[in-house]
Amino acid sequence: MTERPDRVDQLIATWRSELPTALTQTSELSKRVMVLAADLDAASRRVFDELGLTATEFDVLAALRRSGKPYRLRSNELSKSLLLSTGGTSNVINRLVARRLAERDADPGDGRSTRISLTPDGVALAEKALIANSRAHESVFAPVPARYVQAATGALRDVFTATDTRP
Amino acid sequence: MTERPDRVDQLIATWRSELPTALTQTSELSKRVMVLAADLDAASRRVFDELGLTATEFDVLAALRRSGKPYRLRSNELSKSLLLSTGGTSNVINRLVARRLAERDADPGDGRSTRISLTPDGVALAEKALIANSRAHESVFAPVPARYVQAATGALRDVFTATDTRP
DNA sequence: CCTCGATAGCTTTCCGGAAAGCTTTCGCCT
DNA sequence: AGGCGAAAGCTTTCCGGAAAGCTATCGAGG
């Protein structure tokens, strides 16, 4: 055991005494990632609540904004890239359209398909949400020295690199 | 840019060209953590689906198992430690009780309170789920050299250490 | 000893995304 | 040119946890 145990060390120690077979070589890394992600997610949710967005609505706005002008994607592209069901995606789009944050129109190249694009209000809200979310995540790391942030970023990049398509 | 860009590098590069103000010093770390957590979560969901459990049911079973014999906690303790609403917690407990995985009884020390404990079947399923989940997470890291896992674990520990109560 | 604000947690309603089911369209193959 | 399996996405139903609302109990303070 190194240094002063933190909450993940305490969790691992509890499992080691309660159910050692539940631990593997990568359990600590898994747990640290999941705990950190939960903290980041909680910070995100505070931002989304203030903006009146669900996490999925945010994801859709962000995906459209990231696609560049004219901020338009097919429904199918949104479902696949955001790992959503087609029905769920349609309902999220319905809500964004109702709030005039997005528009839906037919795809001239495929009669089955629809294209979703951001309205000017949608672009503005997407940008506001993205910046606010980034700031919220930055706040989570505020107490962490920059060299620790850089080291962790590099170490995780190595983890990603070792798995070509997925970690 | 180092080495061969991975999917997070591509995301960051896209944002740098689309909306640079949405990036901070910690954006890459945030994104790597969230992407990795999503992969781990997907692996978990496959395990939970096979066992007929929701993620929250799993969390409750795990929390009770982790508490050690007699695997009993108050409802309040479950809600707080798992960041659930009291209503939601009660409903999850209802389902576990209906499947005879948990039992609910009155707290002799506080008439308002109830105590939740695992049945023998609940203990068995909790252990099975915990081990399977650990294995699933281990599989996500299978392609990663042990030294990268250890480096990433250490680097994240430093991140945790820098924030006393939360990262 | 009594009052009352706070706590505990349950029931019921609400809501958002999953999923079932369906229609329309596409494109390959004969 | 027509048939048919697959694709696209919509509507509707389902489900699980959040949250509103409520009752019972606790414990501090007068």
Side-chain angles (χ1 to χ4, degrees):
Chain A
M1 178 68 70
T2 67
E3 293 133 71
R4 168 171 163 280
D6 59 30
R7 27 175 191 142
V8 172
D9 290 319
Q10 284 163 6
L11 270 174
I12 299 290
T14 303
W15 282 122
R16 184 166 288 120
S17 100
E18 277 300 323
L19 191 67
T21 46
L23 292 175
T24 67
Q25 295 301 317
T26 58
S27 290
E28 187 182 336
L29 179 54
S30 285
K31 187 57 67 176
R32 288 192 185 281
V33 168
M34 297 308 282
V35 168
L36 191 43
D39 290 343
L40 292 170
D41 190 66
S44 292
R45 284 187 194 284
R46 286 192 284 277
V47 166
F48 301 156
D49 281 349
E50 283 178 23
L51 296 171
L53 290 171
T54 68
T56 311
E57 287 166 347
F58 170 80
D59 286 342
V60 170
L61 292 177
L64 289 166
R65 180 62 185 79
R66 185 169 64 238
S67 67
K69 283 187 172 175
Y71 313 121
R72 169 189 297 147
L73 291 169
R74 296 208 313 279
S75 187
N76 184 344
E77 290 171 317
L78 285 169
S79 300
K80 287 180 174 175
S81 65
L82 301 178
L83 304 179
L84 293 170
S85 66
T86 58
T89 303
S90 197
N91 287 329
V92 173
I93 292 167
N94 285 345
R95 291 204 306 278
L96 294 175
V97 167
R99 290 164 61 190
R100 302 185 193 285
L101 298 170
E103 290 167 345
R104 206 197 231 110
D105 67 287
D107 184 341
D110 190 330
R112 297 167 293 182
S113 201
T114 52
R115 300 183 312 186
I116 317 305
S117 47
L118 287 178
T119 62
D121 281 345
V123 173
L125 183 57
E127 292 178 357
K128 185 175 178 180
L130 281 155
I131 294 169
N133 191 48
S134 255
R135 297 287 163 73
H137 281 198
E138 191 176 33
S139 295
V140 171
F141 292 116
V144 184
R147 69 181 185 283
Y148 284 175
V149 172
Q150 285 152 15
T153 305
L156 286 182
R157 175 181 286 122
D158 289 338
V159 169
F160 275 74
T161 297
T163 68
D164 203 24
T165 53
R166 293 197 161 271
Chain B
M1 176 69 72
T2 66
E3 293 133 69
R4 168 172 164 279
D6 60 29
R7 19 172 199 145
V8 172
D9 291 319
Q10 285 162 5
L11 269 175
I12 298 291
T14 304
W15 282 123
R16 185 166 287 119
S17 99
E18 277 299 321
L19 190 66
T21 47
L23 294 175
T24 66
Q25 295 302 317
T26 58
S27 290
E28 187 184 336
L29 179 54
S30 285
K31 187 58 66 178
R32 289 192 183 280
V33 168
M34 299 307 281
V35 168
L36 189 43
D39 290 343
L40 291 169
D41 190 66
S44 292
R45 284 187 194 285
R46 286 192 286 274
V47 166
F48 301 156
D49 281 349
E50 281 177 25
L51 296 172
L53 291 170
T54 68
T56 311
E57 287 166 347
F58 169 81
D59 286 343
V60 169
L61 292 177
L64 289 165
R65 180 61 185 82
R66 187 169 64 240
S67 68
K69 283 188 172 175
Y71 313 121
R72 172 192 292 148
L73 290 169
R74 296 208 315 279
S75 187
N76 183 347
E77 290 171 316
L78 284 170
S79 299
K80 288 181 173 174
S81 67
L82 300 178
L83 305 178
L84 293 170
S85 65
T86 59
T89 303
S90 197
N91 286 331
V92 173
I93 293 167
N94 285 345
R95 292 203 306 276
L96 293 175
V97 167
R99 290 164 61 191
R100 303 187 192 284
L101 298 169
E103 290 170 345
R104 207 196 232 112
D105 66 286
D107 184 342
D110 189 331
R112 299 166 293 183
S113 200
T114 52
R115 301 184 309 186
I116 317 307
S117 48
L118 287 178
T119 63
D121 282 343
V123 173
L125 183 58
E127 294 180 355
K128 184 174 178 179
L130 280 154
I131 294 169
N133 191 47
S134 257
R135 298 289 163 71
H137 281 199
E138 190 177 33
S139 295
V140 171
F141 292 116
V144 184
R147 69 181 184 284
Y148 284 174
V149 170
Q150 285 152 17
T153 304
L156 285 182
R157 175 181 288 121
D158 289 338
V159 168
F160 275 73
T161 297
T163 68
D164 202 22
T165 54
R166 293 196 162 271

